[in-house]
Amino acid sequence: MYVTIVEPEKLSHHMSLEMESPAEVMNNELVPVDPQPDEPMNSEMQIDNLERQIINTETPANNIEAQPTRRRKKKSIVWEHFTIETVGPGTRRACCKQCKQSFAYSTGSKVAGTSHLKRHIAKGTCPVVLRNQEKNLSTPFSAPSKMGTYSDTPKRRYRTASVPYFAFDPDRCRHEIARMIIMHDYPLHIVEHPGFVAFVHNLQPRFDMVSFNTVQGDCVATYLREKQNIQKVFEGMAGRICLSLDLWSSCQTMGYMFITGQFIDSDWKMHRKLLNVIMEPYPDSDAAFSHSIAACLSDWSMDGKLFSVAINQSLTDAAIDNLRALLSVKNPLILNGQLLVENCLARSLSSIVQDALTSVQGIVNKVRDSVKYVKTSDSHEEKFLELKQQLQVPSAKSLAIDDQTQWNTTYEMLLAASELKEVFSCLDTSDPDYKDAPSMEDWKQIETLCTYLKPLFDTANLLTTPTMPTTNTFFHEAWKIQLELARAGASEDPVISSLTKLMQENFDKYWRSCCFVLAVAVVMDPRFKMKLVEFSFSKIYGEESASYVKIVDEGIHELFLEYVALPLPLTPTYAEEANGMTMKSEDPQGIGLSSNGLGLADFDVFIMESTSQQSRSELDQYLEESLLPRVHEFDVVGWWKLNKVKYPTLSRMACDVLSVPVCTVPSVSVFDTKRKEMDSYRCSLRPETVEALVCAKDWLHSATVDTAPSPVKMEVPI
């Protein structure tokens, strides 16, 4: 048996992390060796053992020179970024492929290793890699690309490939912490919590944790940057803005007024943005709402652009007078401040439902206890499902215990339980522990209640849809609820009449305060115009309907005349359209009319037709045209966008009318049974900080809502 005796310098090189191929060994000598496996291995034997792994000891000496001289591929990831260059006898250096900087690699028998080479690439000290990483920071949420120019990953490495690093940027870290606090409602003091500080330190020891005051300033800075983006949208707004006010309470008896703006921009897209959160020290005063509106208009420089106001609670006569006076001052030409929506639809529906549930509270509690009995025990639920299968009850609904702060969950619980009433009625036979089941009379009242809660539930669900419905949508829902409750209140069935009478009285208050605004909005829908107003009012008011229809007709004509008196908005969109229309009207076909009268053969006919059309207003022309076919996915805002040249003034009016909000609360709060209350932590912050945190969260989460997802569809009504 033969082994190769290697020179010390070569052997040291073989024992380094990056082993070279045995073909590099020179001046080898073959000597016989007697292996002794039973003896302990000394240093020489360890060398022999290593050499046996490197060179096939069964190879004869005379065949060594015949072996191919191949260099084994280096396995470390750094060699994707470095090359080895010989700079002198026994001295080699690693040269960076990116910046051409060289580093020590081997001198004689000493090998420097690769750790310092990895730091050069991974830690951002290479200027070329640093510049590339700074470019990647512009898209921080995209998956980072692998460092280097090679796309093929080595199949095997001696060390785990390190993940790519971005250059450390403390300013960006501060920015992301501020965004995190805003978007997830974390307390500002989280930067002082020991657990969070330790967590960040372990992620990046080089980052110096910011203080409370610093992160508060960063959050306000984020708010101001986002506010500039909202202001740019306002600058291109051709129409007016509608405000909705939602008053929150607090443990300190102070109020916080949430003011939301709703409008259609120059691209005919609907927006709903939270504009201000204003602390009101005396929320019950008659001037609280008017003060908040004035502060909002001043903050956003929107004097003269206010169209309507919606509030979420009943106010005193003095407070209503203050609001109407403010409206008449801020928009003096818009119906003398009549466009005041005194009730939020979501709050009104919630109040009506709570009153209805309270009227049968004892029965509701019985049903809730029965559902609890089934849902809080696996064995009880198993028996219930077995009995349901035996009785072959067809209901597919499943039971769920309600959340009494969300009235929709109570409605769904009662609806599911009423469909499974047969199972509850027989449950005591298979489960003796079940007691106090609702009687058949109780179930009848629950079914009646669910019947009249359903239209309220369906209407409230419209307020939670991702696509923001326009105002005309809610006229259909409101007049149907008004009609159904009026009929139910006059029913001869004592159960129905007693249960719905209070509901009808409460909804009638909402209808009387909002029906004018809703009716004007539905007139702007070319599928219905005044016809639906006439039809629905005849159902609701009977013989007195003509007088109510006249109020709407006169009001909409008065509103149109006020828009005629308004100057066209000086926005780029309208300026371009006006210039385009002027150029087309000067020479529509490029003929070039001469003074000798050529091309004017039909001029007299044109004069007669145009004079006849000009004698009627845009509004009259619009109302006299035939109705469009009714389609469910009709885009009313898109229709006015397509017809803005035909109806330049009326389209501006429709743009404002269709953006009037009927709800003052966000979609997540539509079914709330209690008014919102500001938490104690935020009450401890400065009012300006609270406004920055809440508004910036809305702006970061929300995106432009497009109310025209599909083109207008035409189909024959059934």
Side-chain angles (χ1 to χ4, degrees):
M1 180 178 296
Y2 297 90
V3 298
T4 302
I5 297 177
V6 188
E7 294 179 3
E9 179 180 352
K10 298 296 182 180
L11 179 60
S12 174
H13 180 63
H14 277 293
M15 296 178 65
S16 65
L17 178 63
E18 301 296 332
M19 292 184 175
E20 305 294 334
S21 95
E24 292 183 354
V25 180
M26 305 298 294
N27 301 324
N28 300 331
E29 208 176 277
L30 300 179
V31 296
V33 176
D34 295 328
Q36 299 179 2
D38 295 334
E39 296 181 2
M41 297 179 64
N42 54 25
S43 59
E44 294 181 356
M45 296 178 67
Q46 292 176 359
I47 295 175
D48 292 342
N49 185 46
L50 178 62
E51 292 305 313
R52 291 190 187 99
Q53 299 176 18
I54 298 177
I55 298 183
N56 185 357
T57 57
E58 299 297 331
T59 304
N62 57 357
N63 291 335
I64 292 179
E65 296 180 357
Q67 298 296 323
T69 58
R70 293 182 302 169
R71 179 182 297 272
R72 184 173 59 85
K73 183 178 180 181
K74 294 181 180 296
K75 300 297 184 179
S76 176
I77 192 174
V78 301
W79 302 120
E80 297 179 4
H81 306 275
F82 288 88
T83 57
I84 297 177
E85 298 178 355
T86 302
V87 297
T91 303
R92 294 187 298 174
R93 296 183 67 83
C95 181
C96 177
K97 296 179 181 179
Q98 303 290 337
C99 65
K100 306 305 179 182
Q101 185 177 354
S102 65
F103 298 84
Y105 178 61
S106 66
T107 303
S109 61
K110 297 181 180 180
V111 179
T114 59
S115 298
H116 63 304
L117 306 181
K118 291 180 180 179
R119 286 194 296 270
H120 176 70
I121 295 297
K123 300 300 183 182
T125 56
C126 177
V128 177
V129 174
L130 181 61
R131 285 196 297 269
N132 294 335
Q133 290 173 348
E134 289 175 349
K135 294 179 181 178
N136 292 335
L137 286 178
S138 61
T139 56
F141 298 108
S142 60
S145 59
K146 180 181 175 182
M147 292 189 303
T149 58
Y150 296 101
S151 59
D152 295 332
T153 304
K155 296 181 179 180
R156 179 173 176 269
R157 298 183 188 276
Y158 284 109
R159 294 192 180 187
T160 304
S162 60
V163 296
Y165 287 89
F166 286 114
F168 172 62
D169 186 349
D171 292 335
R172 184 164 188 84
C173 292
R174 286 175 48 184
H175 173 69
E176 292 302 327
I177 288 178
R179 284 175 57 92
M180 176 194 73
I181 290 175
I182 290 171
M183 296 181 68
H184 303 289
D185 292 330
Y186 295 142
L188 293 173
H189 286 85
I190 192 175
V191 296
E192 299 176 351
H193 293 174
F196 183 74
V197 173
F199 172 71
V200 173
H201 178 74
N202 282 300
L203 284 180
Q204 178 51 267
R206 298 168 62 189
F207 179 68
D208 295 328
M209 181 54 68
V210 295
S211 65
F212 167 83
N213 290 332
T214 301
V215 77
Q216 180 177 235
D218 291 343
C219 290
V220 173
T222 301
Y223 158 77
L224 294 175
R225 284 194 298 269
E226 297 298 324
K227 186 175 182 179
Q228 290 179 350
N229 297 332
I230 305 297
Q231 287 175 327
K232 292 179 181 178
V233 178
F234 284 154
E235 292 174 359
M237 181 178 65
R240 296 170 178 267
I241 191 168
C242 304
L243 300 180
S244 59
L245 284 74
D246 186 22
L247 180 61
W248 288 30
S249 60
S250 71
C251 59
Q252 299 178 347
T253 69
M254 293 183 296
Y256 288 84
M257 195 74 71
F258 283 62
I259 304 179
T260 303
Q262 190 162 306
F263 60 95
I264 296 175
D265 65 10
S266 57
D267 293 327
W268 294 80
K269 294 181 179 180
M270 181 80 78
H271 293 260
R272 181 179 175 88
K273 302 290 185 182
L274 180 63
L275 302 182
N276 293 95
V277 178
I278 299 174
M279 188 194 73
E280 289 292 343
Y282 306 100
D284 297 328
S285 67
D286 295 335
F289 280 82
S290 56
H291 169 265
S292 295
I293 294 174
C296 174
L297 297 179
S298 175
D299 182 30
W300 293 91
S301 302
M302 290 190 299
D303 286 335
K305 291 187 177 182
L306 179 62
F307 184 72
S308 72
V309 173
I311 56 180
N312 69 339
Q313 64 186 57
S314 300
L315 300 180
T316 63
D317 293 339
I320 294 294
D321 292 340
N322 287 338
L323 281 177
R324 293 193 186 280
L326 178 67
L327 272 173
S328 62
V329 171
K330 298 302 181 181
N331 56 353
L333 299 178
I334 306 300
L335 295 181
N336 296 320
Q338 293 184 43
L339 295 180
L340 172 63
V341 181
E342 299 179 22
N343 290 282
C344 167
L345 179 57
R347 298 289 193 197
S348 299
L349 295 177
S350 178
S351 177
I352 294 170
V353 172
Q354 289 183 76
D355 290 341
L357 294 174
T358 302
S359 65
V360 289
Q361 187 65 53
I363 302 176
V364 172
N365 288 338
K366 279 187 180 182
V367 175
R368 182 180 291 116
D369 291 341
S370 296
V371 174
K372 283 183 182 179
Y373 181 84
V374 173
K375 297 298 294 182
T376 55
S377 170
D378 292 339
S379 60
H380 294 170
E381 186 170 13
E382 184 178 351
K383 292 178 181 179
F384 184 87
L385 295 176
E386 289 177 358
L387 183 58
K388 175 187 174 183
Q389 187 175 4
Q390 293 175 8
L391 297 174
Q392 297 182 353
V393 178
S395 175
K397 293 187 179 298
S398 58
L399 295 174
I401 303 174
D402 67 326
D403 175 6
Q404 296 186 49
T405 64
Q406 298 282 312
W407 67 262
N408 60 314
T409 63
T410 304
Y411 164 75
E412 291 170 341
M413 179 192 71
L414 296 176
L415 183 63
S418 65
E419 293 188 8
L420 297 168
K421 63 180 181 295
E422 296 179 9
V423 185
F424 280 109
S425 300
C426 300
L427 185 59
D428 57 351
T429 59
S430 60
D431 189 352
D433 294 334
Y434 176 66
K435 300 176 182 179
D436 298 328
S439 64
M440 296 307 296
E441 185 64 26
D442 293 339
W443 287 118
K444 181 181 178 181
Q445 292 199 44
I446 292 297
E447 290 176 346
T448 302
L449 177 65
C450 290
T451 299
Y452 291 99
L453 289 184
K454 185 180 186 305
L456 278 65
F457 173 78
D458 293 340
T459 301
N461 261 334
L462 288 175
L463 299 171
T464 65
T465 56
T467 303
M468 193 183 311
T470 46
T471 315
N472 59 298
T473 305
F474 297 98
F475 179 82
H476 307 275
E477 307 302 321
W479 83 264
K480 287 186 292 185
I481 294 175
Q482 175 71 6
L483 181 61
E484 288 297 323
L485 292 180
R487 289 176 175 175
S491 174
E492 297 180 356
D493 189 328
V495 175
I496 296 177
S497 60
S498 62
L499 186 62
T500 58
K501 184 176 181 181
L502 183 60
M503 296 174 63
Q504 193 273 332
E505 291 176 356
N506 290 337
F507 192 81
D508 186 64
K509 296 178 182 177
Y510 174 81
W511 173 256
R512 283 188 281 107
S513 66
C514 302
C515 68
F516 175 76
V517 174
L518 298 178
V520 171
V522 83
V523 173
M524 294 293 100
D525 189 335
R527 298 171 298 171
F528 302 104
K529 302 183 182 180
M530 284 293 299
K531 296 300 182 182
L532 184 60
V533 175
E534 296 169 359
F535 173 77
S536 58
F537 281 15
S538 66
K539 297 290 185 180
I540 297 173
Y541 299 113
E543 297 179 355
E544 299 178 357
S545 62
S547 59
Y548 291 96
V549 171
K550 183 179 180 181
I551 293 174
V552 175
D553 184 69
E554 292 178 350
I556 199 169
H557 276 84
E558 180 181 350
L559 181 61
F560 174 74
L561 292 177
E562 292 171 354
Y563 269 83
V564 171
L566 294 174
L568 285 174
L570 297 178
T571 59
T573 302
Y574 275 84
E576 292 174 2
E577 292 174 359
N579 292 336
M581 292 174 62
T582 302
M583 293 175 63
K584 292 179 181 179
S585 62
E586 289 176 354
D587 195 358
Q589 298 181 357
I591 298 175
L593 298 179
S594 60
S595 59
N596 59 8
L598 294 178
L600 300 180
D602 297 330
F603 184 72
D604 293 335
V605 177
F606 171 78
I607 289 296
M608 293 177 61
E609 292 178 352
S610 61
T611 303
S612 175
Q613 292 178 1
Q614 291 175 0
S615 63
R616 296 175 298 161
S617 66
E618 292 179 25
L619 178 59
D620 292 330
Q621 294 180 46
Y622 166 75
L623 294 176
E624 291 173 7
E625 290 180 353
S626 59
L627 302 179
L628 292 184
R630 295 192 302 275
V631 289
H632 294 294
E633 298 181 3
F634 182 74
D635 177 16
V636 63
V637 176
W639 187 89
W640 281 106
K641 179 181 180 180
L642 295 175
N643 290 271
K644 62 185 177 183
V645 176
K646 182 178 181 180
Y647 303 112
T649 302
L650 190 59
S651 62
R652 287 193 296 138
M653 187 178 96
C655 180
D656 294 338
V657 169
L658 293 173
S659 61
V660 173
V662 298
C663 180
T664 64
V665 299
S667 59
V668 295
S669 303
V670 166
F671 294 102
D672 286 356
T673 57
K674 297 180 180 179
R675 292 189 180 277
K676 290 291 186 180
E677 180 176 340
M678 187 69 71
D679 60 84
S680 58
Y681 176 77
R682 287 190 172 177
C683 289
S684 66
L685 302 175
R686 296 185 305 165
E688 297 82 2
T689 303
V690 175
E691 181 178 55
L693 292 173
V694 177
C695 291
K697 178 184 178 181
D698 177 79
W699 300 338
L700 292 175
H701 275 290
S702 65
T704 301
V705 179
D706 189 356
T707 59
S710 58
V712 178
K713 297 182 180 180
M714 298 296 181
E715 62 183 31
V716 179
I718 299 176

